[in-house]
Amino acid sequence: MNLARFPRVHLAHLPTPLEYLTNLTKALNGPEIWIKRDDCTGLSSGGNKTRKLEFLLGEAAEQGADIILTQGATQSNHARQTAAAAAHMGMDCHLLLEDRTGKTDPDYTSNGNVLLDQLHGASIEHRPLSPDLNTELEKVADRLRSEGRKPYVVPGGGSNPTGALGYVNAAMELVTQANDMGLCIDHVVHATGSCGTQAGLVTGLYGMNSGIPLLGIGVRAPRQQQEDNVFKLTCATAEKCGCPGVVKREDVVANCDYVGPGYGFPAPSTIEAIKLLARTDAILLDPVYSGKGMAGLIDLVRKGFFSKGQNIVFLHTGGSAGLFGYVDNFGYREAAAATA
Ligand SMILES: *Cc1c(COP(=O)(O)O)cnc(C)c1O
């Protein structure tokens, strides 16, 4: 897997740290829990999309693009990191933000990631919930081309084989780190949404023959659909990397029991996980992705899915900027009003 063959720009602070979660491990009294800090990729408060954008914007620069288009939910971490990456590259950025929640709380509509999109100079078009925003993006791209611009379209979540290369690279980085530390990883767990993170990781982990199983915790789709989508992107990613067929369908595993009320709506277990990590190891999770991923890990530890003595790595995919769009989900305002 020779990733240096692909165009790339360097946007992330790499390697991200691999740390032991002392307090969470103690609190849960199960396996040893480690964290891979992709919340610390550095660009505009960090997150997993930055690794994908290194390869996507590398390709955009090679094609001479002058404007980057992408789409996501209102509080999209992907949109925020894309806006930041485009600014860094001296390119314009245009975002289609889809209203997937119907929330009207001003924090949701204008704070958190939305504030940062604007600070990075992106232009924003709001869209209602739509069946296929990636097709909408192509329409906007056609319009811009007719106006003489050179748009580059990044699909939602940066999840295509080019973006997934960022997580093939992350898998190699993680295995090298663990080797150097003498750490034998038994399982990697992370939040899975638009599939690029899991597809890249599983391609890298199996392409290296690491023997490390991967579990994605779903944030939107039901299990079968999530696994099928991840597997489809995995096949295309492995092909791009020159190792077609290296991942079998059964190597792609998702658990979608922690979605709660739906995409963009934290479940009680999401809020519990966010509060627990903030108070134990002082790690900030997010209400849409990493909070659900960690809720899944915590519940699986409590149910004895992992055994004592095993080393479990939680890949922290970032998203803490989203906390400021979800203040109303934590109950602190009501508590403050009650004591005022
Ligand atoms: C996008 C995102 C994910 C999911 O990654 P995918 O590659 O879309 O599956 C997980 N966590 C955070 C914080 C994200 O922004």
Side-chain angles (χ1 to χ4, degrees):
M1 285 179 301
N2 176 9
L3 300 184
R5 291 182 288 150
F6 301 104
R8 179 177 176 186
V9 291
H10 291 275
L11 302 167
H13 297 172
L14 301 179
T16 58
L18 174 59
E19 300 171 332
Y20 180 59
L21 290 179
T22 315
N23 299 330
L24 182 71
T25 297
K26 214 176 274 171
L28 296 179
N29 191 29
E32 309 295 315
I33 305 177
W34 298 76
I35 190 164
K36 173 69 171 157
R37 299 292 303 272
D38 275 15
D39 57 321
C40 299
T41 49
L43 185 72
S44 185
S45 79
N48 64 338
K49 303 312 181 302
T50 301
R51 288 188 189 265
K52 303 180 186 183
L53 287 161
E54 289 197 337
F55 289 92
L56 290 160
L57 292 208
E59 196 172 88
E62 198 184 62
Q63 294 175 11
D66 59 12
I67 181 166
I68 305 298
L69 308 181
T70 200
Q71 56 98 353
T74 305
Q75 281 293 338
S76 167
N77 302 302
H78 165 68
R80 180 249 310 161
Q81 286 163 88
T82 304
H88 182 85
M89 300 284 295
M91 296 170 179
D92 290 333
C93 180
H94 185 69
L95 303 173
L96 300 188
L97 296 186
E98 181 184 32
D99 181 11
R100 291 188 199 161
T101 63
K103 277 159 140 336
T104 55
D105 174 7
D107 282 331
Y108 183 79
T109 56
S110 56
N111 201 341
N113 284 298
V114 182
L115 171 66
L116 300 185
D117 295 340
Q118 291 175 300
L119 284 176
H120 292 303
S123 52
I124 296 176
E125 243 178 275
H126 294 278
R127 295 294 173 97
L129 192 65
S130 20
D132 189 3
L133 266 193
N134 283 335
T135 304
E136 291 292 302
L137 276 182
E138 294 299 340
K139 283 190 200 155
V140 176
D142 286 341
R143 193 187 74 217
L144 288 167
R145 272 184 215 104
S146 74
E147 293 166 5
R149 301 295 307 265
K150 290 195 167 144
Y152 179 88
V153 175
V154 174
S159 286
N160 61 15
T162 302
L165 293 176
Y167 272 89
V168 175
N169 191 47
M172 295 197 283
E173 180 184 302
L174 174 63
V175 170
T176 301
Q177 262 174 329
N179 286 345
D180 290 346
M181 293 162 70
L183 173 69
C184 190
I185 300 173
D186 292 291
H187 228 112
V188 175
V189 179
H190 69 97
T192 180
S194 67
C195 306
T197 302
Q198 189 167 5
L201 283 174
V202 78
T203 302
L205 290 172
Y206 284 80
M208 278 183 290
N209 200 18
S210 70
I212 301 173
L214 180 67
L215 173 64
I217 305 288
V219 300
R220 188 176 193 178
R223 175 175 179 166
Q224 185 71 32
Q225 190 186 331
Q226 186 68 20
E227 289 183 350
D228 287 349
N229 290 344
V230 172
F231 184 60
K232 195 164 160 227
L233 182 53
T234 302
C235 293
T237 304
E239 173 124 26
K240 191 176 173 89
C241 291
C243 51
V246 75
V247 182
K248 304 278 168 283
R249 173 63 182 80
E250 63 267 26
D251 301 330
V252 171
V253 184
N255 178 329
C256 299
D257 296 344
Y258 304 94
V259 176
Y263 177 86
F265 293 98
S269 64
T270 319
I271 300 296
E272 187 212 332
I274 293 171
K275 289 183 175 176
L276 183 63
L277 266 289
R279 288 163 195 208
T280 50
D281 291 291
I283 301 284
L284 295 176
L285 299 171
D286 85 278
V288 181
Y289 295 96
S290 56
K292 288 185 180 176
M294 182 55 86
L297 173 55
I298 291 168
D299 188 56
L300 291 170
V301 168
R302 287 177 178 154
K303 285 178 170 153
F305 183 82
F306 305 109
S307 31
K308 251 193 142 113
Q310 280 193 323
N311 290 303
I312 312 301
V313 174
F314 179 74
L315 171 73
H316 190 338
T317 43
S320 62
L323 287 170
F324 306 102
Y326 280 85
V327 179
D328 67 338
N329 286 87
F330 289 88
Y332 296 134
R333 271 187 191 138
E334 291 82 348
T339 57

